[in-house]
Amino acid sequence: MIELWIGIAGLTLLAVAFVFLPFVRAKRVAESVSAEDRGQQNIEIFRERLSELEREKAAGNLDETDFITLKTELERNLLSDVESSGPASGSVQLTKQALVTVTLLAMLIPASGIGLYSVFGRSADLEIALHQPKDPFNGQKPTLEQAIAQLEKELQLNPDNPEGWFLLSTTYMNQGRYAEGAEGFKRILDILPVDAPQYASVNGQYAQALFFAADSKITGDVRAQIEKTLAIEPLEITALGLLGIEAYEKQDFEAALEHWLLALRNAEGPTADSLRSGVRKARDELIAQGKNVPDIPELDIASVALNVDLSPELKAKATPEQAVFVFAREVGGKMPLAAVKLSVSDLPTQVVLDDTMAMNPQATLSSVAQVEVSARISLSGQPQAQKGDFYGIISPVEVRGAKIPLMLVIDKVVE
């Protein structure tokens, strides 16, 4: 940081110098014009005027009396100028008032600069950057323990970093260090504003960390945190999952099924798979008790199995490296709900389209009941259909309940 303040001091002195420089320069110019120089200039002017008077007399324009009178006047003026010892006319003097004004202006420059830097500057970030090596691992791939230690060190320097605390907390949880993970999530909640989009989710993860830290028991602290989370977001997945676990352990399988289904409808990826497994267990327990359990659509994973092949007529016109795009779209829609890219050399092959192949998490196979599926060999290599491409299509296709793969043959040409 000392380099920063040295630089600021140097620039401040430079700015102050620019304020004083015009006044100093003007004073030097004025002082450079000496009394002797001014006297010599007056003598030259006197000689020029006297020569003009003599020419006028010689030409007959002046008589002797007028000539003597004007000459006497010139001599009197010359004597008056030579004897004058005051400063030259138009010289710049640095008066007391001007000096005070310039001094105040010079003091205002560093004061305003430091004030603005205190508001808009990033000295704290610079401090962190200066004390953090560019590569703390010297080009070597760090171990997990080294990476954690480095992250802990960075958070000591910059404790108000919610992203860093989240990464550290989730790492602690993955290592089974649940108490430390809970403390990390608590730090995030102290930093995040309550209206932040992630606030409810972090509350849920804090509740989960407390749950695991208490040997997977719903203690009073865990329950209080679950209630706080659901008060913020009634559909928060982690909190609902914990309530499902509690109900399942109490053999209240209907309540467990209700909590997990509610969470499953908003979950994706591995979280959804875990909740789906819990739903199956709760359903199976209810069936074992002889209870009538209605069909649960959420357990039917949306997917479409296809056997994709190229017709013999078009096979001779295709090359092995050409791209093959397999899509599933909503019937009448344009945006693919699932897609996969192959090559002609892969054909014939079996393809299973499901939610993991969605191009948009909000638009998946699970969001519709029927789709149209198509496979297209792109001559240009681009997903957009162009004239001359080969394709095949089946529509409509149910996204749930299919027992055997559908046969999709590429046998048409885009006109």
Side-chain angles (χ1 to χ4, degrees), residues 290-309:
K291 295 183 179 180
N292 184 24
V293 181
D295 291 338
I296 303 175
E298 289 80 5
L299 294 182
D300 294 330
I301 302 174
S303 65
V304 177
L306 302 169
N307 286 324
V308 184
D309 199 359

PDB file of all heavy atoms in Angstrom, residues 290-309:
ATOM      1  N   GLY A 290     -51.367 -51.740   2.827  1.00  0.00           N
ATOM      2  CA  GLY A 290     -52.669 -52.018   2.237  1.00  0.00           C
ATOM      3  C   GLY A 290     -53.459 -50.781   1.877  1.00  0.00           C
ATOM      4  O   GLY A 290     -54.672 -50.864   1.624  1.00  0.00           O
ATOM      5  N   LYS A 291     -52.785 -49.638   1.820  1.00  0.00           N
ATOM      6  CA  LYS A 291     -53.490 -48.409   1.488  1.00  0.00           C
ATOM      7  C   LYS A 291     -53.513 -48.202  -0.013  1.00  0.00           C
ATOM      8  O   LYS A 291     -52.590 -48.625  -0.742  1.00  0.00           O
ATOM      9  CB  LYS A 291     -52.832 -47.220   2.181  1.00  0.00           C
ATOM     10  CG  LYS A 291     -52.944 -47.287   3.698  1.00  0.00           C
ATOM     11  CD  LYS A 291     -52.353 -46.066   4.364  1.00  0.00           C
ATOM     12  CE  LYS A 291     -52.491 -46.145   5.881  1.00  0.00           C
ATOM     13  NZ  LYS A 291     -51.929 -44.960   6.552  1.00  0.00           N
ATOM     14  N   ASN A 292     -54.559 -47.560  -0.477  1.00  0.00           N
ATOM     15  CA  ASN A 292     -54.708 -47.285  -1.909  1.00  0.00           C
ATOM     16  C   ASN A 292     -53.952 -46.007  -2.247  1.00  0.00           C
ATOM     17  O   ASN A 292     -54.279 -44.916  -1.764  1.00  0.00           O
ATOM     18  CB  ASN A 292     -56.198 -47.136  -2.252  1.00  0.00           C
ATOM     19  CG  ASN A 292     -56.411 -46.938  -3.746  1.00  0.00           C
ATOM     20  OD1 ASN A 292     -55.571 -47.345  -4.548  1.00  0.00           O
ATOM     21  ND2 ASN A 292     -57.522 -46.316  -4.109  1.00  0.00           N
ATOM     22  N   VAL A 293     -52.945 -46.163  -3.069  1.00  0.00           N
ATOM     23  CA  VAL A 293     -52.118 -45.015  -3.460  1.00  0.00           C
ATOM     24  C   VAL A 293     -52.386 -44.697  -4.929  1.00  0.00           C
ATOM     25  O   VAL A 293     -52.192 -45.565  -5.789  1.00  0.00           O
ATOM     26  CB  VAL A 293     -50.615 -45.311  -3.254  1.00  0.00           C
ATOM     27  CG1 VAL A 293     -49.784 -44.094  -3.644  1.00  0.00           C
ATOM     28  CG2 VAL A 293     -50.345 -45.714  -1.813  1.00  0.00           C
ATOM     29  N   PRO A 294     -52.859 -43.506  -5.257  1.00  0.00           N
ATOM     30  CA  PRO A 294     -53.108 -43.166  -6.659  1.00  0.00           C
ATOM     31  C   PRO A 294     -51.809 -43.096  -7.445  1.00  0.00           C
ATOM     32  O   PRO A 294     -50.713 -43.028  -6.873  1.00  0.00           O
ATOM     33  CB  PRO A 294     -53.778 -41.789  -6.562  1.00  0.00           C
ATOM     34  CG  PRO A 294     -53.331 -41.227  -5.259  1.00  0.00           C
ATOM     35  CD  PRO A 294     -53.168 -42.388  -4.334  1.00  0.00           C
ATOM     36  N   ASP A 295     -51.950 -43.147  -8.767  1.00  0.00           N
ATOM     37  CA  ASP A 295     -50.763 -43.034  -9.625  1.00  0.00           C
ATOM     38  C   ASP A 295     -50.044 -41.712  -9.356  1.00  0.00           C
ATOM     39  O   ASP A 295     -50.676 -40.665  -9.147  1.00  0.00           O
ATOM     40  CB  ASP A 295     -51.159 -43.112 -11.094  1.00  0.00           C
ATOM     41  CG  ASP A 295     -51.649 -44.501 -11.471  1.00  0.00           C
ATOM     42  OD1 ASP A 295     -51.300 -45.460 -10.753  1.00  0.00           O
ATOM     43  OD2 ASP A 295     -52.397 -44.622 -12.471  1.00  0.00           O
ATOM     44  N   ILE A 296     -48.734 -41.775  -9.393  1.00  0.00           N
ATOM     45  CA  ILE A 296     -47.911 -40.576  -9.151  1.00  0.00           C
ATOM     46  C   ILE A 296     -47.179 -40.247 -10.448  1.00  0.00           C
ATOM     47  O   ILE A 296     -46.160 -40.878 -10.783  1.00  0.00           O
ATOM     48  CB  ILE A 296     -46.910 -40.814  -8.006  1.00  0.00           C
ATOM     49  CG1 ILE A 296     -47.666 -41.214  -6.730  1.00  0.00           C
ATOM     50  CG2 ILE A 296     -46.072 -39.567  -7.750  1.00  0.00           C
ATOM     51  CD1 ILE A 296     -46.762 -41.583  -5.578  1.00  0.00           C
ATOM     52  N   PRO A 297     -47.680 -39.288 -11.220  1.00  0.00           N
ATOM     53  CA  PRO A 297     -47.058 -38.973 -12.512  1.00  0.00           C
ATOM     54  C   PRO A 297     -45.589 -38.585 -12.384  1.00  0.00           C
ATOM     55  O   PRO A 297     -44.798 -38.823 -13.309  1.00  0.00           O
ATOM     56  CB  PRO A 297     -47.898 -37.793 -13.028  1.00  0.00           C
ATOM     57  CG  PRO A 297     -49.194 -37.881 -12.289  1.00  0.00           C
ATOM     58  CD  PRO A 297     -48.866 -38.450 -10.953  1.00  0.00           C
ATOM     59  N   GLU A 298     -45.212 -37.983 -11.251  1.00  0.00           N
ATOM     60  CA  GLU A 298     -43.820 -37.540 -11.083  1.00  0.00           C
ATOM     61  C   GLU A 298     -42.831 -38.696 -11.084  1.00  0.00           C
ATOM     62  O   GLU A 298     -41.634 -38.490 -11.309  1.00  0.00           O
ATOM     63  CB  GLU A 298     -43.680 -36.750  -9.779  1.00  0.00           C
ATOM     64  CG  GLU A 298     -44.343 -35.381  -9.793  1.00  0.00           C
ATOM     65  CD  GLU A 298     -45.833 -35.459  -9.570  1.00  0.00           C
ATOM     66  OE1 GLU A 298     -46.348 -36.573  -9.308  1.00  0.00           O
ATOM     67  OE2 GLU A 298     -46.492 -34.418  -9.638  1.00  0.00           O
ATOM     68  N   LEU A 299     -43.332 -39.940 -10.840  1.00  0.00           N
ATOM     69  CA  LEU A 299     -42.436 -41.087 -10.855  1.00  0.00           C
ATOM     70  C   LEU A 299     -42.214 -41.637 -12.254  1.00  0.00           C
ATOM     71  O   LEU A 299     -41.292 -42.428 -12.467  1.00  0.00           O
ATOM     72  CB  LEU A 299     -42.987 -42.200  -9.946  1.00  0.00           C
ATOM     73  CG  LEU A 299     -43.029 -41.868  -8.453  1.00  0.00           C
ATOM     74  CD1 LEU A 299     -43.552 -43.069  -7.674  1.00  0.00           C
ATOM     75  CD2 LEU A 299     -41.647 -41.462  -7.959  1.00  0.00           C
ATOM     76  N   ASP A 300     -43.055 -41.247 -13.177  1.00  0.00           N
ATOM     77  CA  ASP A 300     -42.873 -41.661 -14.570  1.00  0.00           C
ATOM     78  C   ASP A 300     -41.947 -40.665 -15.249  1.00  0.00           C
ATOM     79  O   ASP A 300     -42.345 -39.549 -15.604  1.00  0.00           O
ATOM     80  CB  ASP A 300     -44.215 -41.707 -15.299  1.00  0.00           C
ATOM     81  CG  ASP A 300     -45.123 -42.792 -14.743  1.00  0.00           C
ATOM     82  OD1 ASP A 300     -44.588 -43.807 -14.271  1.00  0.00           O
ATOM     83  OD2 ASP A 300     -46.355 -42.602 -14.774  1.00  0.00           O
ATOM     84  N   ILE A 301     -40.701 -41.059 -15.390  1.00  0.00           N
ATOM     85  CA  ILE A 301     -39.708 -40.160 -15.989  1.00  0.00           C
ATOM     86  C   ILE A 301     -39.995 -40.014 -17.479  1.00  0.00           C
ATOM     87  O   ILE A 301     -40.128 -41.007 -18.204  1.00  0.00           O
ATOM     88  CB  ILE A 301     -38.275 -40.698 -15.777  1.00  0.00           C
ATOM     89  CG1 ILE A 301     -37.999 -40.858 -14.286  1.00  0.00           C
ATOM     90  CG2 ILE A 301     -37.253 -39.785 -16.412  1.00  0.00           C
ATOM     91  CD1 ILE A 301     -36.675 -41.513 -13.976  1.00  0.00           C
ATOM     92  N   ALA A 302     -40.085 -38.763 -17.892  1.00  0.00           N
ATOM     93  CA  ALA A 302     -40.346 -38.508 -19.310  1.00  0.00           C
ATOM     94  C   ALA A 302     -39.117 -38.882 -20.138  1.00  0.00           C
ATOM     95  O   ALA A 302     -38.007 -38.421 -19.866  1.00  0.00           O
ATOM     96  CB  ALA A 302     -40.709 -37.039 -19.512  1.00  0.00           C
ATOM     97  N   SER A 303     -39.327 -39.717 -21.160  1.00  0.00           N
ATOM     98  CA  SER A 303     -38.230 -40.102 -22.060  1.00  0.00           C
ATOM     99  C   SER A 303     -38.822 -40.709 -23.323  1.00  0.00           C
ATOM    100  O   SER A 303     -39.944 -41.222 -23.310  1.00  0.00           O
ATOM    101  CB  SER A 303     -37.285 -41.106 -21.390  1.00  0.00           C
ATOM    102  OG  SER A 303     -37.959 -42.314 -21.124  1.00  0.00           O
ATOM    103  N   VAL A 304     -38.060 -40.619 -24.383  1.00  0.00           N
ATOM    104  CA  VAL A 304     -38.471 -41.195 -25.660  1.00  0.00           C
ATOM    105  C   VAL A 304     -37.295 -42.007 -26.189  1.00  0.00           C
ATOM    106  O   VAL A 304     -36.206 -41.458 -26.418  1.00  0.00           O
ATOM    107  CB  VAL A 304     -38.875 -40.110 -26.676  1.00  0.00           C
ATOM    108  CG1 VAL A 304     -39.222 -40.754 -28.019  1.00  0.00           C
ATOM    109  CG2 VAL A 304     -40.042 -39.287 -26.156  1.00  0.00           C
ATOM    110  N   ALA A 305     -37.492 -43.310 -26.371  1.00  0.00           N
ATOM    111  CA  ALA A 305     -36.451 -44.194 -26.896  1.00  0.00           C
ATOM    112  C   ALA A 305     -36.654 -44.361 -28.400  1.00  0.00           C
ATOM    113  O   ALA A 305     -37.767 -44.616 -28.866  1.00  0.00           O
ATOM    114  CB  ALA A 305     -36.492 -45.545 -26.196  1.00  0.00           C
ATOM    115  N   LEU A 306     -35.577 -44.200 -29.160  1.00  0.00           N
ATOM    116  CA  LEU A 306     -35.650 -44.248 -30.628  1.00  0.00           C
ATOM    117  C   LEU A 306     -34.549 -45.143 -31.179  1.00  0.00           C
ATOM    118  O   LEU A 306     -33.412 -45.125 -30.675  1.00  0.00           O
ATOM    119  CB  LEU A 306     -35.481 -42.843 -31.221  1.00  0.00           C
ATOM    120  CG  LEU A 306     -36.470 -41.758 -30.784  1.00  0.00           C
ATOM    121  CD1 LEU A 306     -35.978 -40.403 -31.254  1.00  0.00           C
ATOM    122  CD2 LEU A 306     -37.854 -42.054 -31.351  1.00  0.00           C
ATOM    123  N   ASN A 307     -34.894 -45.910 -32.215  1.00  0.00           N
ATOM    124  CA  ASN A 307     -33.905 -46.571 -33.061  1.00  0.00           C
ATOM    125  C   ASN A 307     -33.781 -45.744 -34.331  1.00  0.00           C
ATOM    126  O   ASN A 307     -34.707 -45.697 -35.148  1.00  0.00           O
ATOM    127  CB  ASN A 307     -34.331 -48.001 -33.394  1.00  0.00           C
ATOM    128  CG  ASN A 307     -34.170 -48.929 -32.213  1.00  0.00           C
ATOM    129  OD1 ASN A 307     -33.224 -48.798 -31.436  1.00  0.00           O
ATOM    130  ND2 ASN A 307     -35.091 -49.877 -32.053  1.00  0.00           N
ATOM    131  N   VAL A 308     -32.666 -45.079 -34.501  1.00  0.00           N
ATOM    132  CA  VAL A 308     -32.481 -44.153 -35.622  1.00  0.00           C
ATOM    133  C   VAL A 308     -31.647 -44.839 -36.697  1.00  0.00           C
ATOM    134  O   VAL A 308     -30.581 -45.402 -36.419  1.00  0.00           O
ATOM    135  CB  VAL A 308     -31.788 -42.864 -35.163  1.00  0.00           C
ATOM    136  CG1 VAL A 308     -31.688 -41.869 -36.308  1.00  0.00           C
ATOM    137  CG2 VAL A 308     -32.534 -42.242 -33.986  1.00  0.00           C
ATOM    138  N   ASP A 309     -32.144 -44.755 -37.947  1.00  0.00           N
ATOM    139  CA  ASP A 309     -31.411 -45.359 -39.067  1.00  0.00           C
ATOM    140  C   ASP A 309     -31.644 -44.521 -40.317  1.00  0.00           C
ATOM    141  O   ASP A 309     -32.534 -43.653 -40.354  1.00  0.00           O
ATOM    142  CB  ASP A 309     -31.876 -46.794 -39.295  1.00  0.00           C
ATOM    143  CG  ASP A 309     -30.862 -47.606 -40.094  1.00  0.00           C
ATOM    144  OD1 ASP A 309     -29.810 -47.035 -40.471  1.00  0.00           O
ATOM    145  OD2 ASP A 309     -31.114 -48.794 -40.344  1.00  0.00           O
TER     146      ASP A 309
END
